[in-house]
Amino acid sequence: MNAVASAAGYSGPQIHCEHWRNQLELRGRHAAVIGGGAAIARVLPGVTAQARRVTVFQHDPIWILPTPPIPGRLLRELPDDLLGLLPSDSAPPLPGETGPESPRRGLASRITLGIPAAMLRLAATANLRVSVRDSWMRRQLTPDTAIGVRLHSGYYRALTRPNCKLVTWPIARVAPLGIRTVDGVEHRVDCIIYAEDRS
């Protein structure tokens, strides 16, 4: 179940968002976050900071590099969420991007101009190892296909918070009280947040 779509059978609140803007009161709640790695990275830090528990149902993991320190004048040229696609010979464009000259890439692509994709991925691998100590979680977060590299400084930190759990089993269905994965486990949650790619 990779499509981001609300489930009519679920009894709790469901919201769709590209960024977390406190659209739902999360204090004391167990929240589920569903989506691809790039979309979840924009939503998860704010959710884990507020919810009692968070279960992340991620498909399509992505490589992450920390956002570099940028002077204020240049910082305004970055995307609002400091998440951008870095140069890669094999990475497809983001949804809504038509090609390599898309303005959405902004400064995030210019600061890495001329850096080979292999070197970027090597740096992203090192960042994953430093940021995520658990070897099994690192394996879950390692892309198994050629994919681009993104800039984000809070994603791994949010995933490794004590109140956050990563689930990579595919979703079988959304039940009235939660989410059932294909391994037969039903994860009961109080609300579902569908993290959406920017259009």
Side-chain angles (χ1 to χ4, degrees):
M1 179 178 175
N2 288 349
V4 180
S6 297
Y10 178 64
S11 60
Q14 304 177 76
I15 64 170
H16 295 251
C17 63
E18 296 179 5
H19 307 276
W20 185 247
R21 300 283 190 260
N22 301 322
Q23 295 95 321
L24 184 67
E25 176 58 60
L26 295 179
R27 285 179 296 181
R29 282 179 161 169
H30 181 183
V33 180
I34 301 175
I40 290 176
R42 291 190 295 269
V43 173
L44 189 62
V47 173
T48 56
Q50 297 176 24
R52 174 178 57 87
R53 290 179 60 197
V54 181
T55 301
V56 176
F57 297 87
Q58 177 190 270
H59 55 81
D60 305 326
I62 56 173
W63 290 116
I64 295 284
L65 283 175
T67 305
I70 302 292
R73 182 180 63 82
L74 297 178
L75 189 62
R76 288 192 292 272
E77 297 186 46
L78 282 169
D80 291 339
D81 55 0
L82 300 181
L83 192 69
L85 184 65
L86 302 185
S88 170
D89 294 334
S90 56
L94 287 170
E97 296 182 332
T98 57
E101 300 303 320
S102 171
R104 279 187 187 267
R105 286 182 167 84
L107 186 60
S109 62
R110 294 199 293 277
I111 60 177
T112 58
L113 188 63
I115 301 177
M119 187 176 295
L120 288 173
R121 291 209 178 89
L122 185 63
T125 301
N127 182 50
L128 175 59
R129 179 170 290 276
V130 169
S131 303
V132 180
R133 294 186 177 183
D134 182 83
S135 60
W136 175 244
M137 180 178 281
R138 286 201 304 268
R139 181 175 178 181
Q140 290 176 302
L141 292 171
T142 300
D144 56 7
T145 58
I147 195 166
V149 182
R150 303 297 181 98
L151 295 177
H152 204 286
S153 293
Y155 181 43
Y156 290 153
R157 190 160 53 245
L159 277 172
T160 54
R161 286 177 64 118
N163 65 330
C164 188
K165 177 183 179 182
L166 175 65
V167 175
T168 55
W169 284 101
I171 295 173
R173 67 185 182 93
V174 178
L177 297 179
I179 297 167
R180 182 179 292 274
T181 45
V182 296
D183 58 344
V185 176
E186 182 169 319
H187 306 263
R188 295 196 172 189
V189 295
D190 301 315
C191 59
I192 299 176
I193 300 166
Y194 300 91
E196 296 185 328
D197 287 309
R198 292 178 296 184
S199 57

